Amino acid sequence: MHLYPFIRPLAFALDAETAHRATIAALKWVPPHRPPNLPASLRTRVAGLDFPSPIGLAAGFDKDAEVPEQMLALGFGFVEVGTVTPRPQAGNDKPRLFRLAEDRAVINRLGFNNQGQPAAFRRLIECGPSRGIVGVNIGANKDSADRIADYVSGVRAMSRVARYLTINVSSPNTPGLRQLQDEGALRALLSAVAEARDPKGPPIFLKVAPDLGAGEPEQIVRVAIQHGIDAIIVANTTVARPALKLVSSEIQSLMFGGLGFLKFGTCLLFELPEDIQAARKWLAAVMPHIAFNDGRRLVDKRAVVTLALGARGLQRLGLPEQGLATFPFAFLDGMTTAARARILGDVDRNASERWAWGRTQPDVALLIYGDEQHFADELAQSLTDAAADLGMAKPYGIPLKMVSDGKEEPFGFVDGISQPVIRGTYKGLRKADPIHLVEPGEFILGYPDNRGNTPPGPTLPALADPDNQLPLVGAVGGFDKAVVENERDIGFNGTFLVIRQLEQDVQAFKKYCAQEARRLADRLPPPYDITDEFIAAKLIGRWKDGSSLTRYQYESRIESARRGLVQVNETVRARTSAQAAIEPGSSSTRCDKTTTTTFSPTQTPPQLGFDFFRNWRF
Ligand SMILES: Cc1cc2nc3c(=O)[nH]c(=O)nc-3n(C[C@H](O)[C@H](O)[C@H](O)COP(=O)(O)O)c2cc1C
């Protein structure tokens, strides 16, 4: 019987790391038993070791040698424990392991979390003569002053309990570690290892990264052979990210649909301090509150943030000039240059001089949402306090107001903005009408658009990302091409966000629609019927009941149903309006601006790929 279909829902109910820990804990209860007899045809001899099967368990699953025997008993031909470092270390901050369920893959940013070599040593020695081949993968502590010394001590400490040792210089999650693959550094490392190893000790393997430059594989093999390395393990995890499926955990929740279930909110515009460290410190305080992933997963949060940064904001956070120069002009210019103002109609009565705010591009815009007003207010206050502590000015606040519970715009429409559904999002996966589906690249940077092209996003040269923290531009999986020198993608999983506060003069709108309906009444032949509502729908982008203009060209869906032209059953209608309620545009439904007297637009720039910020050391 296959257990996986039963276990999977349980495991997926937990976050990836908790599920991993729970699996190890469960395995510990399994009494050790003999590994199964594997077919003789699977036997493989490498470096003097007879492996019962070439299929083994790679390093990283059993980092602390807690269950090697249980894993061998499951039928693996060998188990590699580790990576273990000389001293215990906590690894990177959580969350640091992310499932890409659709890709059947994970993003791993663990960073050598382990209990240290002495703990693994004690466990392995207790195992007694191993029931199979257990290799030990060794690494260096992140804060080590002498990484080579760490490998040397690892060789000395773990040889006794390892059937083979792996020198791991290929983890992408310990900054700078992979530079040990560079020729000079590798020579120094492998000479020290060769000197430290016991000639009667276990064979030593070298584990390399898949993301190597032209000529590097040959160079590494040459140096490895010269220093008596017994085998090479190809390869560790890649830093390349094929842009096929959405990396939802890095995309802000707003992209998956409006946060209509968090009904209360406020928008705060901040100016960042000139001191980079202070600016980053404040961003670090905001980070835990930013809502990522599908909003349905925010159930445990009472208030969340959507963050957007402007050009100067990025600069003040330390984005190098060469990176900033790769942003589109519209973003860099903002909305107030003469050309943009003409395109956007921000002239005369609507000219920027008359705006309530936004005459200069804000550094940061925070959209704060809460399921009760006081939760939103409390979060706004705590982030404002954090800013004040760092000497930042009080933010400009634009409170959002509840319009109605009936999800209607002040104009009387179910939803004012036509909402496409992004392929690969929750809504795109669940019975979305194909007519509304668009490719992620239409909205989210780093993905192909409807024409299969990946639109250009902001980038940095490889040299500006020495620790290889950022994904590569247009990276595809595969080891056939050198990618290390590729440009880095700073926009990946980000989007551009424009915030404009508009006057909604309901009476003037209605008057205009009536006037135009009269003027155009005889322009189009039946079945067109040019009514006030027809004009309004054309302006708003939907019929009053929320139905699509593309599918209902002549009258709204409900009107069609009333006349017996289409059948509308109530559940379908209920779903349509419920969907409308969670679509991104619906966030505007709670914002009643009928009282503002001027047009007050502004632009705030993109939400960037959050890797970039996550990896800045604050
Ligand atoms: C969650 C996770 C943790 C890992 N930890 C380590 C590690 O501590 N040391 C190491 O050498 N490799 C580590 N790896 C890399 C794997 O050992 C393996 O080389 C990599 O996943 C590529 O193999 P695959 O294509 O079969 O996944 C880890 C991989 C994952 C997914």
Side-chain angles (χ1 to χ4, degrees):
M1 188 175 78
H2 293 290
L3 283 177
Y4 187 65
F6 300 102
I7 294 173
R8 189 182 189 276
L10 294 177
F12 273 63
L14 304 171
D15 75 79
E17 190 166 348
T18 312
H20 176 215
R21 282 305 318 157
T23 308
I24 301 264
L27 281 165
K28 282 188 183 174
W29 287 92
V30 178
H33 55 280
R34 288 191 69 76
N37 282 328
L38 297 169
S41 56
L42 290 178
R43 278 186 210 145
T44 309
R45 195 173 164 79
V46 175
L49 294 174
D50 286 314
F51 291 85
S53 155
I55 299 175
L57 181 64
F61 177 79
D62 188 9
K63 284 188 185 270
D64 291 307
E66 294 172 278
V67 289
E69 291 183 293
Q70 287 84 339
M71 297 316 286
L72 286 169
L74 285 175
F76 283 109
F78 61 98
V79 169
E80 184 168 317
V81 301
T83 296
V84 278
T85 53
R87 284 169 291 115
Q89 65 179 26
N92 293 327
D93 290 341
K94 291 180 185 170
R96 53 194 182 175
L97 194 57
F98 307 90
R99 288 191 185 101
L100 306 183
E102 283 178 65
D103 290 317
R104 306 170 91 186
V106 291
I107 294 176
N108 152 35
R109 292 203 193 99
L110 293 172
F112 285 174
N113 53 315
N114 77 105
Q115 298 166 9
Q117 286 162 4
F121 181 88
R122 278 193 299 277
R123 290 198 185 101
L124 289 170
I125 209 126
E126 270 167 26
C127 284
S130 172
R131 288 165 196 266
I133 295 183
V134 177
V136 179
N137 180 310
I138 58 174
N141 279 107
K142 182 178 175 183
D143 60 357
S144 167
D146 184 350
R147 288 193 167 159
I148 291 182
D150 277 15
Y151 286 97
V152 166
S153 80
V155 169
R156 293 208 173 109
M158 302 308 287
S159 285
R160 238 183 93 195
V161 287
R163 293 290 299 282
Y164 69 86
L165 280 173
T166 299
I167 307 289
N168 179 16
V169 286
S170 48
S171 166
N173 298 312
T174 299
L177 190 85
R178 293 181 307 169
Q179 281 154 17
L180 286 172
Q181 295 175 131
D182 298 347
E183 187 169 3
L186 190 62
R187 278 189 192 286
L189 169 67
L190 296 188
S191 313
V193 165
E195 219 168 278
R197 76 189 281 189
D198 175 352
K200 291 198 224 75
I204 296 188
F205 302 165
L206 178 72
K207 183 164 177 178
V208 297
D211 312 302
L212 297 172
E216 276 188 280
E218 295 83 345
Q219 205 175 67
I220 290 173
V221 168
R222 206 170 34 244
V223 176
I225 292 172
Q226 286 166 358
H227 291 85
I229 289 296
D230 298 278
I232 291 184
I233 299 182
V234 181
N236 213 309
T237 38
T238 177
V239 292
R241 301 245 205 112
L244 298 175
K245 302 274 166 57
L246 293 175
V247 186
S248 319
S249 55
E250 292 187 357
I251 300 172
Q252 293 200 55
S253 300
L254 196 62
M255 287 308 293
F256 294 89
L259 303 177
F261 51 92
L262 299 172
K263 287 191 185 339
F264 301 88
T266 186
C267 173
L268 297 181
L269 306 175
F270 286 90
E271 187 174 319
L272 286 177
E274 275 172 42
D275 171 8
I276 290 188
Q277 292 317 323
R280 291 182 176 185
K281 222 168 169 180
W282 180 73
L283 188 63
V286 178
M287 283 295 279
H289 302 286
I290 298 175
F292 290 100
N293 217 324
D294 192 311
R296 292 167 308 123
R297 298 177 192 215
L298 302 175
V299 280
D300 56 332
K301 305 241 182 179
R302 309 307 301 267
V304 297
V305 165
T306 293
L307 172 100
L309 292 162
R312 199 187 64 175
L314 288 166
Q315 223 166 11
R316 291 200 164 171
L317 285 161
L319 182 69
E321 200 54 49
Q322 72 233 76
L324 209 57
T326 63
F327 281 80
F329 292 132
F331 170 79
L332 297 173
D333 288 350
M335 286 196 176
T336 54
T337 59
R340 295 267 291 150
R342 272 197 305 279
I343 294 169
L344 296 162
D346 297 331
V347 289
D348 306 332
R349 200 170 80 81
N350 299 325
S352 58
E353 299 81 61
R354 304 188 54 180
W355 293 354
W357 54 275
R359 281 178 294 275
T360 53
Q361 206 187 49
D363 289 346
V364 181
L366 294 188
L367 305 176
I368 300 181
Y369 306 87
D371 66 353
E372 285 173 32
Q373 187 65 52
H374 71 101
F375 290 123
D377 291 346
E378 279 156 25
L379 182 53
Q381 193 55 51
S382 80
L383 298 176
T384 304
D385 291 346
D389 289 348
L390 292 161
M392 287 164 58
K394 209 164 169 282
Y396 182 87
I398 312 162
L400 305 186
K401 284 190 206 151
M402 186 72 107
V403 175
S404 74
D405 285 337
K407 298 290 169 209
E408 290 188 352
E409 286 287 328
F411 293 143
F413 280 66
V414 162
D415 186 52
I417 299 170
S418 215
Q419 280 307 317
V421 178
I422 302 172
R423 192 187 298 282
T425 59
Y426 170 74
K427 280 195 286 171
L429 295 169
R430 303 285 141 127
K431 300 188 212 128
D433 186 331
I435 201 168
H436 297 308
L437 271 184
V438 297
E439 297 302 323
E442 295 292 332
F443 292 91
I444 307 173
L445 295 168
Y447 296 86
D449 62 15
N450 284 338
R451 308 183 68 172
N453 302 320
T454 306
T459 58
L460 270 180
L463 275 178
D465 177 32
D467 291 337
N468 284 316
Q469 304 275 355
L470 292 169
L472 306 171
V473 171
V476 285
F479 307 126
D480 53 334
K481 285 200 187 100
V483 289
V484 272
E485 293 91 358
N486 279 23
E487 283 192 303
R488 303 302 197 254
D489 192 341
I490 38 176
F492 191 60
N493 287 321
T495 187
F496 289 93
L497 178 68
V498 177
I499 303 174
R500 282 175 79 98
Q501 183 178 349
L502 301 174
E503 178 184 20
Q504 292 190 342
D505 185 342
V506 180
Q507 287 322 313
F509 177 76
K510 287 188 172 155
K511 201 167 134 202
Y512 173 82
C513 292
Q515 212 175 312
E516 284 300 285
R518 271 199 306 280
R519 194 172 69 81
L520 300 172
D522 301 324
R523 283 288 172 90
L524 293 169
Y528 279 105
D529 180 13
I530 313 292
T531 59
D532 301 10
E533 191 188 327
F534 178 89
I535 301 290
K538 288 282 173 185
L539 289 170
I540 298 272
R542 278 174 187 249
W543 292 101
K544 206 167 179 173
D545 62 16
S547 54
S548 140
L549 276 179
T550 327
R551 277 184 295 169
Y552 301 95
Q553 294 102 321
Y554 310 117
E555 59 191 358
S556 74
R557 179 190 182 103
I558 289 179
E559 188 57 24
S560 295
R562 202 179 57 74
R563 299 203 298 121
L565 297 180
V566 293
Q567 287 200 334
V568 176
N569 78 37
E570 285 308 309
T571 49
V572 172
R573 240 178 59 205
R575 208 192 68 219
T576 313
S577 52
Q579 267 177 356
I582 58 162
E583 286 167 356
S586 64
S587 55
S588 64
T589 59
R590 79 193 77 162
C591 183
D592 184 356
K593 296 292 173 290
T594 50
T595 51
T596 35
T597 51
T598 54
F599 271 92
S600 312
T602 192
Q603 178 194 43
T604 63
Q607 312 161 21
L608 285 180
F610 273 85
D611 261 0
F612 195 55
F613 305 118
R614 201 187 335 262
N615 293 317
W616 264 337
R617 281 179 284 281
F618 293 105

